Amino acid sequence: MNSVILIPARFASTRYPGKPLAELKGAGGTSKSLIQRSVEAARRVPGVSGVFVVTDDERIADACAGFGVGVIMTSSECRNGTERCAEALAQLHEPELVINFQGDALLTPPGFVTALIDHMVANPDAAVATPAMRQHPSEVRALQAEEAQGRVGGTSVVTANDGRALYFSKKLIPYLPKHALDGELSPVRLHIGIYAYRPQALDTYAATPVSELEELEGLEQLRFLAAGIPIDVVEVETPPFVLRELNNPEDVAPIEAALAAAGLE
């Protein structure tokens, strides 16, 4: 299957302006920008036709030229990464599958993307797919503590019996009755913000107005559900390490520690 990975990247960020160009030290002390490390993570995915950064900022494009990745320039009017991927379609050579790889999720295992591609190949009627993994009880309790303090610690998802998403939320779902966290893995599935789209689904997304739920939750994928486009949730194996994203300057130190532990230069 002709699959391309797109890494949406924007310079403006309320919590961390200039985040794609933030420097992170690897296992041997070498410093690389977040966008370069995200590209390297995407390039570890086997069997894809190409990896491109999608941005509207010349500073990010210039940085990408320094380590040899293709850049697709898009409008500054794009409101999220899915809209940016949809706009980039016109500059791609008719891909069968588009992967939206998060530019701040440099620790994402390549197997997560491979699982999405395999699912889309095996299910030709699937329009959109995204991964999720079950959380250990200790991780859920940590998220509950963050939620109690008014902070968002991640996005959770619940599905129908056929694996299609019923809802995504920045609140922990489903409700957890007493003893729900007594097992090795909890009922809570953490959504991993990677997406596999058919081009037609992206075209429909771009033509669909922003939904109320999308605005309330701040979750772009809810526009698909509001428009009646199903999202297949692919369950992936929970890794032995915590998947951290670079959302705030305070995340740099633990991510550098994770890079060192993984031996990533």
Side-chain angles (χ1 to χ4, degrees):
M1 178 172 283
N2 178 15
S3 306
V4 297
I5 293 180
L6 302 183
I7 306 177
R10 64 189 185 99
F11 194 87
S13 170
T14 303
R15 289 182 290 179
Y16 198 163
K19 181 173 70 171
L21 303 184
E23 294 288 320
L24 296 161
K25 292 180 181 177
T30 300
S31 186
K32 299 177 185 177
S33 67
L34 170 63
I35 191 62
Q36 181 174 352
R37 291 195 177 279
S38 297
V39 168
E40 290 175 354
R43 283 176 169 167
R44 288 193 282 271
V45 178
V48 297
S49 304
V51 175
F52 300 89
V53 171
V54 184
T55 187
D56 61 355
D57 195 282
E58 293 291 346
R59 289 164 290 188
I60 294 174
D62 289 345
C64 289
F67 53 89
V69 66
V71 175
I72 298 175
M73 299 301 294
T74 54
S75 166
S76 59
E77 300 302 312
C78 294
R79 288 166 289 195
N80 58 49
T82 302
E83 287 192 0
R84 210 171 288 284
C85 290
E87 187 176 321
L89 266 179
Q91 301 181 55
L92 295 169
H93 185 61
E94 299 183 350
E96 297 171 84
L97 200 61
V98 175
I99 308 296
N100 178 344
F101 191 96
Q102 299 298 306
D104 55 8
L106 68 164
L107 296 170
T108 302
F112 284 13
V113 180
T114 302
L116 290 188
I117 296 173
D118 290 346
H119 179 85
M120 298 297 274
V121 170
N123 298 272
D125 292 334
V128 184
T130 192
M133 63 183 191
R134 292 198 179 267
Q135 292 287 84
H136 293 287
S138 60
E139 294 161 352
V140 174
R141 293 188 182 98
L143 291 173
Q144 288 174 326
E146 289 194 14
E147 195 171 90
Q149 296 172 22
R151 297 196 302 269
V152 175
T155 298
S156 49
V157 60
V158 290
T159 65
N161 291 341
D162 63 2
R164 292 188 176 185
L166 292 173
Y167 195 63
F168 297 85
S169 182
K170 286 184 177 176
K171 289 187 70 68
L172 280 172
I173 53 176
Y175 169 76
L176 298 174
K178 190 176 182 181
H179 305 309
L181 298 181
D182 288 351
E184 183 181 351
L185 289 174
S186 79
V188 176
R189 280 179 285 183
L190 182 72
H191 173 235
I192 311 300
I194 310 166
Y195 304 92
Y197 319 103
R198 306 282 182 198
Q200 304 94 310
L202 276 179
D203 288 339
T204 302
Y205 185 93
T208 300
V210 175
S211 71
E212 180 182 23
L213 291 175
E214 177 186 356
E215 288 189 324
L216 288 170
E217 291 270 12
L219 295 174
E220 63 197 270
Q221 67 269 35
L222 289 175
R223 196 186 311 180
F224 283 116
L225 297 187
I229 298 173
I231 300 176
D232 289 13
V233 176
V234 178
E235 191 150 331
V236 294
E237 187 174 351
T238 305
F241 53 87
V242 177
L243 292 179
R244 292 199 68 120
E245 298 178 353
L246 184 60
N247 293 315
N248 305 284
E250 295 78 18
D251 297 326
V252 169
I255 287 178
E256 288 183 336
L259 288 169
L264 292 172
E265 181 52 56

